[in-house]
Amino acid sequence: MTDLKDFAYLEMAYGLAEKARGWASPNPYVGAVVVRRNKVVGHGFHERPGRAHAEAIALERAGRLAGGSTLYVTLEPCVHWGRTPPCVDAVIRAKPKRVVVSALDPNPIVFQKGIRRLRAAGIDVSVGLLRERNATLNETYTKYITRGIPFVTLKAALSLDGRTATRTMSSRWISHPLTRDYVHLLRGEQDAILVGIQTLIKDDPLLTVRHPQWGGKKIVRVILDSQLRFPLRARILSTLSAGSVIVFSARGAPSRKRALLERRGVEVIEVPGPGRRVQIAAALADLGKRGIASLLVEGGSRVLTAMIEGRFADKLLLTISPRLIGGLAAPSFLEGEGVRLVQDSYPVRRVSSFLIGPDIVIEGYL
């Protein structure tokens, strides 16, 4: 039977790991706690890429008290050199009596190797407690490290009848101000935001992280723009200090427009697809090579539909306002031809919902 203290100390470690959200990517969110004689003598979490890992920080704070202690860590200690030394070496040097690891690291370079190294050094190792917490906490890391592409979340603000705008393309504001504030809070957890060129032209968004909790947070802005219709007076061009702007174009896009955008600090990448369209799979692969592990797609309807139909999306975040818009010409969240039979529809799993003011927020996985 697992000691209830193990649950408590691992929960503490997960509380520390949560502090890394939005900052440590593309690395995993990891927390660690060192306990000796029922007293916490060290703790830490991995703050940013290039900085010390959670175990190393916790053990350093524990100092000599780490010897004979129990180390609680949310993810298997790494065994390889990156920007920092292997954590497993620091653990072995500290000589804890026991290590409680919540989850194995899905990185093929690490998977089970850290556990084997610890056991070979004579350390008692327990694995698996609260691993479901890690599965959710590090869902973006798991996809990124195993497939090399970002974890994709689709976000849309809808009316009760599923419209994202009116027939005149008016969409400000469908959601309640409290809901918009919540979405800006979540935006800070992402590495990048993606929209289609229609959204850029119609709404002229900044696509920056403006919630006060995320002071100094930069985010990559990605635009799908097959024929480079990007307005040279777009407000986003005045915010390059808040994060780089990447435009994915298709074959045949005007070279002169590309030169003008690049002169203004925009990176333009050609990823040709069928029918002079941007190939989304190639765009995601390129983002993955840049270390972008999480991607928030904010519209418009064509892009959201393409993400679902191409099965590129992992998660949905829908905010539903209690208002009716109507109109056959009003855009919906999911368009395209649609499926022929109900059994061909796209199932949404692990659905949860809650209220913010009058709005319903629904989260689910595709």
Side-chain angles (χ1 to χ4, degrees), residues 160-283:
L160 203 57
D161 55 341
R163 310 297 186 183
T164 57
T166 69
R167 59 183 174 80
T168 63
M169 302 307 290
S170 170
S171 60
R172 294 185 177 178
W173 296 101
I174 290 178
S175 299
H176 189 274
L178 290 175
T179 305
R180 300 201 301 272
D181 186 65
Y182 171 73
V183 171
H184 270 282
L185 179 64
L186 293 183
R187 185 184 277 186
E189 297 181 4
Q190 306 293 320
D191 296 334
I193 304 176
L194 182 148
V195 298
I197 186 58
Q198 282 296 116
T199 296
L200 188 72
I201 293 172
K202 177 175 67 75
D203 295 339
D204 195 17
L206 296 174
L207 302 178
T208 53
V209 178
R210 299 189 292 279
H211 195 281
Q213 176 173 314
W214 297 105
K217 173 67 188 278
K218 294 184 179 182
I219 193 166
V220 177
R221 281 74 61 77
V222 182
I223 315 296
L224 299 185
D225 183 7
S226 60
Q227 296 305 305
L228 294 184
R229 294 187 292 142
F230 195 120
L232 294 177
R233 294 185 179 181
R235 294 193 302 157
I236 197 172
L237 293 174
S238 66
T239 66
L240 293 181
S241 61
S244 60
V245 175
I246 299 173
V247 173
F248 287 107
S249 69
R251 185 179 290 115
S255 57
R256 183 176 178 275
K257 185 65 172 290
R258 174 174 183 156
L260 289 172
L261 287 171
E262 290 176 338
R263 214 171 293 156
R264 301 207 177 191
V266 175
E267 184 173 2
V268 180
I269 303 164
E270 184 180 297
V271 282
R276 295 178 63 176
R277 297 172 64 183
V278 172
Q279 187 181 56
I280 293 178

Side-chain angles (χ1 to χ4, degrees), residues 277-297:
R277 297 172 64 183
V278 172
Q279 187 181 56
I280 293 178
L284 293 177
D286 184 276
L287 293 175
K289 291 176 182 177
R290 296 167 185 267
I292 292 174
S294 56
L295 177 67
L296 182 65
V297 180

